[in-house]
Amino acid sequence: MIFGFLTSQTLSPRQHRLQNTPLFRTLKPLEVKFVDGLMHERRYLPEEIVFDENEEGQALYLVMAGRVEISRAHEGSRRLVSELGPGGFFGDLALLDNSPRSAQARAVEHCELAVFFRDDFLALMDTDAVIGYKISLALARHIGQRLRERLDGRPQLEAL
């Protein structure tokens, strides 16, 4: 069968990790497989910079393995904003615009990240509106939660 992959409901370990990420939790297995095909895998060594503060945002990053620190420049040093492990994601606003990054992301240990570029996300919105809608809604809910936490004065991951 030429399109046998379309009928398989079996997810790879990486696809399971994607589906367990809040951003993709509402996707069906075939939709997760489709999105996984759009993602790029990147590996980082300990202390390696994923992106720097004030760089143009071009992609969202999902932590598949390892840990990443998010920090901001503050009075000549770096202030830790958050530390993310497997299942965490950062750089989400880059899917919506190309504003400068508001923080630095750095690998704490060996990391495997799945990278979802804005151009791929925008193309997905054109080619599969249902998947694009589900991801957009999850993204909006995540950003809304961060805003509520900020308004309540609770610590939260800064917009990246």
Side-chain angles (χ1 to χ4, degrees):
M1 176 182 239
I2 295 174
F3 296 105
F5 72 93
L6 292 176
T7 60
S8 173
Q9 297 295 315
T10 306
L11 297 177
S12 71
R14 173 183 153 116
Q15 292 164 347
H16 274 292
R17 282 179 276 178
L18 287 176
Q19 192 168 43
N20 289 326
T21 301
L23 196 58
F24 303 121
R25 193 167 285 142
T26 61
L27 299 183
K28 295 176 183 173
L30 289 177
E31 294 169 331
V32 170
K33 286 182 174 199
F34 186 77
V35 170
D36 184 38
L38 298 174
M39 303 199 108
H40 303 266
E41 187 175 298
R42 298 288 189 268
R43 296 183 191 285
Y44 294 87
L45 298 171
E47 303 302 318
E48 191 173 356
I49 303 297
V50 177
F51 58 73
D52 242 328
E53 198 166 342
N54 296 317
E55 283 183 6
E56 179 184 332
Q58 298 179 2
L60 170 138
Y61 295 80
L62 293 105
V63 181
M64 304 306 281
R67 292 180 304 130
V68 173
E69 275 187 358
I70 309 298
S71 65
R72 296 188 67 169
H74 181 71
E75 297 178 357
S77 65
R78 302 230 47 96
R79 187 185 92 217
L80 181 66
V81 175
S82 182
E83 186 172 305
L84 303 169
F89 62 94
F90 58 97
D92 40 295
L93 290 181
L95 290 184
L96 305 176
D97 66 20
N98 60 350
S99 296
R101 300 286 190 180
S102 63
Q104 178 190 80
R106 181 181 54 82
V108 175
E109 56 193 30
H110 289 279
C111 287
E112 178 186 324
L113 305 178
V115 185
F116 196 18
F117 286 97
R118 180 178 53 254
D119 290 343
D120 293 329
F121 176 65
L122 295 175
L124 173 66
M125 298 284 286
D126 288 337
T127 59
D128 196 317
V130 172
I131 296 174
Y133 166 79
K134 289 178 180 182
I135 295 171
S136 296
L137 184 58
L139 184 60
R141 286 179 175 154
H142 176 72
I143 293 168
Q145 180 63 34
R146 270 201 327 241
L147 179 59
R148 280 189 292 281
E149 288 172 358
R150 182 175 198 120
L151 292 174
D152 290 345
R154 292 181 290 182
Q156 42 79 47
L157 179 63
E158 292 291 325
L160 303 175

